[in-house]
Amino acid sequence: MELNIGMIGYSFMGKAHSNGFRQLPAFFPELDVKPVLKVICGRDRDAVQDAAQAYGWEACETDWEKVVARDDIDVIDICTPGNLHLPMALAALKAGKHVICEKPLANTLEEARELLAAAANTSKKTMVAFNYRRVPAVALARQLITEGRIGEIYHWRAVYLQDWIIDPDFPLVWRLEKDKAGSGPHGDLNAHIIDLALHLVGDIDSVVGADTTFIKERPMLEAVDAGLGAKGGKTMGRVTVDDATLFLARFANGALGSFEATRFAAGRRNHNRFEINGSKGSLAFNLEKMNELQFYSRDDEDHIQGFREIIVGEGNQPFMSAWWPPGHIIGWEHTFTHEFRDFFEAIAKDEAFSPDFVEGTKVQAVLEAVVDSAKSKAWMDVPRV
Ligand code: SOE
């Protein structure tokens, strides 16, 4: 079966998704779906043309509504800033397409609920691109939890740390503008670790958080591009999102969790790490060593107890039989191929896919409760989805 893809957006995520699609037929030939890279869309004609050529798309387009309106497109893949997710995903669902949407699903809970209602009205599949669920080591962590190997979960402890805007002269890119991005590292990075927490631990009942914006003004992007420098008064613009957001959470199953997302952790480029402590053992994962999973088991005999480092590269571990011989490690880009593999299989077999717009909305509910809590300086219940 062929599935024709129309992708909107062509920069970082567009490149990652294109590569993810392209690897599928070669590495997962048993999957009876071949994605066809039909059309890629972006506003800048020259740039989108270059992207189409570089990433292997048949055609390019500058008007996303035309892509959504095409009868020959089966799947719309949205890789744009968050403010465009709502109109694009709504239109795609209305046009009867399956929808892949980059994270977070929307910029507000209200928008996410609108998308959820639209998704509930179709038989088409939806996906929110929380790719870290499909790092093989994370999938193995989930398997070990399901097998009961760490017992009842007491603690979730996660950080997602970056440092790419620590320089005050770094320009005011769209990710620092609330009307486009919705929030800063909260929606960009906490969204990932919230999704992992919901996936690995369970639903979150209530949260208490704090956020801050360390650098409140930055040089406008045009000014920097034009070489005007960072400090020229009228060339400065206001940062309207958080620079860091931290929160505590109470899970429905009684576990207690902590979350931290920042773009000001000097030296931490993409440090997505969690640890889970249970009654029978612990698990720890760090994306920067993504082929490894740390596992401590209280069932081990006393004299050999200690964290063991599982190199997740064996053919009997999640996703790994598709790639290389044992120990031949894989990388960040493989997570996209994995999520598309599972999504297309769900389409082909008409089975449920996770995370879909329901789970994307659940993440949004946690994000919003944290923002409300930071404002009110009080614990907030997470709205039910
Ligand atoms: C930028 O902060 C970013 O690219 C995120 O948007 C991605 O979701 C994350 O995987 C890596 O960092």
Side-chain angles (χ1 to χ4, degrees), residues 7-11 13-14 17 41-43 64 76-89 100-105 107 174-175 180-181:
M7 186 165 81
I8 315 175
Y10 58 86
S11 38
M13 280 306 116
H17 286 208
C41 179
R43 281 170 305 187
W64 68 264
I76 293 290
D77 180 10
I78 303 169
C79 296
T80 64
N83 61 318
L84 297 170
H85 291 184
L86 178 71
M88 289 175 175
I100 297 170
C101 186
E102 254 309 324
K103 39 58 55 176
L105 176 56
N107 278 359
W174 70 265
R175 282 198 181 279
K180 298 195 180 79

Side-chain angles (χ1 to χ4, degrees), residues 12-13 102-104 129-132 160 162 164 174-175 184-185 187-189 191-192 262-263 269-270 272 287 332 335-336:
F12 181 22
M13 280 306 116
E102 254 309 324
K103 39 58 55 176
F130 286 119
N131 55 316
Y132 296 124
Y160 201 149
Q162 297 185 342
W164 56 278
W174 70 265
R175 282 198 181 279
D188 191 26
L189 305 180
H192 275 303
T262 180
R263 293 170 174 155
R269 301 289 198 248
N270 198 32
N272 174 358
L287 181 68
W332 181 78
T335 61
F336 297 91

Side-chain angles (χ1 to χ4, degrees), residues 39 42 46 77 114 118 120 127 141 146 158 165 179 219 237-238 266 284 291 294 306-307 318 325 346-347 361 363:
V39 56
D46 290 343
D77 180 10
E114 206 176 328
M127 160 176 159
T146 310
I165 60 167
D179 59 340
R238 204 161 69 83
N291 290 275
Q294 306 278 332
F307 271 93
I347 292 175
T361 306
V363 171

